[in-house]
Amino acid sequence: MIEHIVLLKFSSKTTKEQKEELIRRTLSLKSVIPGIVDIQQGANFSNRSQGFEMGLTVRFEDKTSLANYGPHPAHQEVFSYLKEIGLEDSIIVDFEF
């Protein structure tokens, strides 16, 4: 299994509604992209976040599934929306377990 972790930081102009729409779009990827075992996303409530406002975890069957996720058209649509609403920074960690 592969765990894909993403932390997101947004522009101060990004609205709560846009963030909620991002979560809705992201969670829908599970039914569209092969190899996703589980996907979770939500707003951060920690005061130790260094400005990162949202977390995402995606569990994949294997490295091939992760490799196919990035270029998949449905993921690219979500990523385009993310940039459109004001993505400022991200941290990504992938590990196998």
Side-chain angles (χ1 to χ4, degrees), residues 27 33 39 51-52 63 73 78-79 86:
L27 296 180
I33 301 178
I39 188 166
F52 288 89
K63 287 182 180 179
V78 171
F79 187 66

Side-chain angles (χ1 to χ4, degrees), residues 61-76:
E61 293 173 356
D62 50 33
K63 287 182 180 179
T64 300
S65 299
L66 172 61
N68 292 334
Y69 170 77
H72 192 283
H75 176 263
Q76 287 299 309

Side-chain angles (χ1 to χ4, degrees), residues 4 11 19 21 25 54 62 64 66 69 73 78 81-83 89 92 95:
H4 176 68
S11 160
K19 293 174 190 175
E21 176 64 15
R25 290 182 186 202
M54 187 174 290
D62 50 33
T64 300
L66 172 61
Y69 170 77
V78 171
Y81 180 72
L82 178 58
K83 291 189 297 186
D89 198 5
I92 301 170
F95 63 90

Side-chain angles (χ1 to χ4, degrees), residues 16-79:
K16 180 181 177 187
E17 292 75 22
Q18 288 171 318
K19 293 174 190 175
E20 290 171 353
E21 176 64 15
L22 173 65
I23 291 171
R24 187 192 67 73
R25 290 182 186 202
T26 301
L27 296 180
S28 74
L29 295 176
K30 184 176 180 183
S31 63
V32 179
I33 301 178
I36 295 177
V37 175
D38 188 46
I39 188 166
Q40 301 294 324
Q41 187 172 29
N44 178 45
F45 60 82
S46 172
N47 61 1
R48 302 173 291 159
S49 67
Q50 299 179 9
F52 288 89
E53 302 171 58
M54 187 174 290
L56 166 69
T57 60
V58 186
R59 186 164 290 173
F60 293 97
E61 293 173 356
D62 50 33
K63 287 182 180 179
T64 300
S65 299
L66 172 61
N68 292 334
Y69 170 77
H72 192 283
H75 176 263
Q76 287 299 309
E77 284 179 26
V78 171
F79 187 66

